Amino acid sequence: MPSSTSVTWTLRPWPKAAGGWGASVTTWLEAGEQMASLASDIRQFLVGEQ
């Protein structure tokens, strides 16, 4: 049985922003190649690569 892990993404406004909203989503991945692929995609997104 493959191992899996969850990653929870949470978005919130700056601390002094009005409204106090928040949103989150949890992504379930199989450990190994799916996790490595996600890490690569996130790295590319954060540095602005396409």
Side-chain angles (χ1 to χ4, degrees):
M1 180 173 176
S3 297
S4 63
T5 190
S6 66
V7 177
T8 301
W9 311 86
T10 303
L11 298 174
R12 294 185 191 114
W14 293 103
K16 296 185 183 208
W21 61 272
S24 64
V25 64
T26 300
T27 304
W28 287 92
L29 303 165
E30 290 183 14
E33 187 58 36
Q34 282 188 343
M35 184 65 78
S37 178
L38 176 64
S40 176
D41 291 346
I42 291 169
R43 188 176 306 111
Q44 289 176 6
F45 173 77
L46 292 175
V47 298
E49 295 179 7
Q50 294 187 10

